[in-house]
Amino acid sequence: MRDDLALVGFLAARMRAPFAWGRNANDCVSFALAAAKAQTGREVLGDGVDWRTARGAARVLRRLGGLEAAVDGCLPAIAVAKARRGDVALVDTATGPALMVVEGVTLVGPGPNGLIRRPRADARKAWTLD
């Protein structure tokens, strides 16, 4: 079961939070994990996986087979068209793949000075929290 109001509160709290590396910070993975926890109350990734820098994140992702494989190991993949509010989406950026959260017709994720939004059509893969 999901708590949609908790997702709204989470997004409001992160509205102006700048991008920062770390499991408990505000990079794309930690953002998606925190959004999932806000809605469901559960940790999606599990314990023992941590990073504090871009290099640390790269090491973790290499060990897990890459960003897409890491999420595949935690959440069930679904068709992008079936993703609903709060699900996780994969987008391509100038610096590589990134995770964002489905907001409706937009995707939301951390940016340099707070949350950024992109059209849902930018998603190339999605995972459900259900």
Side-chain angles (χ1 to χ4, degrees), residues 35-111:
K37 186 170 184 180
Q39 295 172 77
T40 66
R42 64 184 163 93
E43 287 286 342
V44 174
L45 186 57
D47 295 327
V49 180
D50 197 9
W51 62 93
R52 290 186 176 79
T53 64
R55 275 181 74 163
R59 271 195 304 273
V60 167
L61 290 177
R62 248 189 329 273
R63 190 178 73 214
L64 296 173
L67 181 58
E68 193 170 337
V71 182
D72 281 341
C74 299
L75 295 171
I78 57 171
V80 171
K82 294 190 181 229
R84 59 181 244 209
R85 182 179 178 87
D87 285 337
V88 177
L90 183 71
V91 299
D92 291 317
T93 72
T95 58
L99 299 180
M100 297 185 85
V101 174
V102 176
E103 200 173 27
V105 297
T106 58
L107 306 171
V108 62

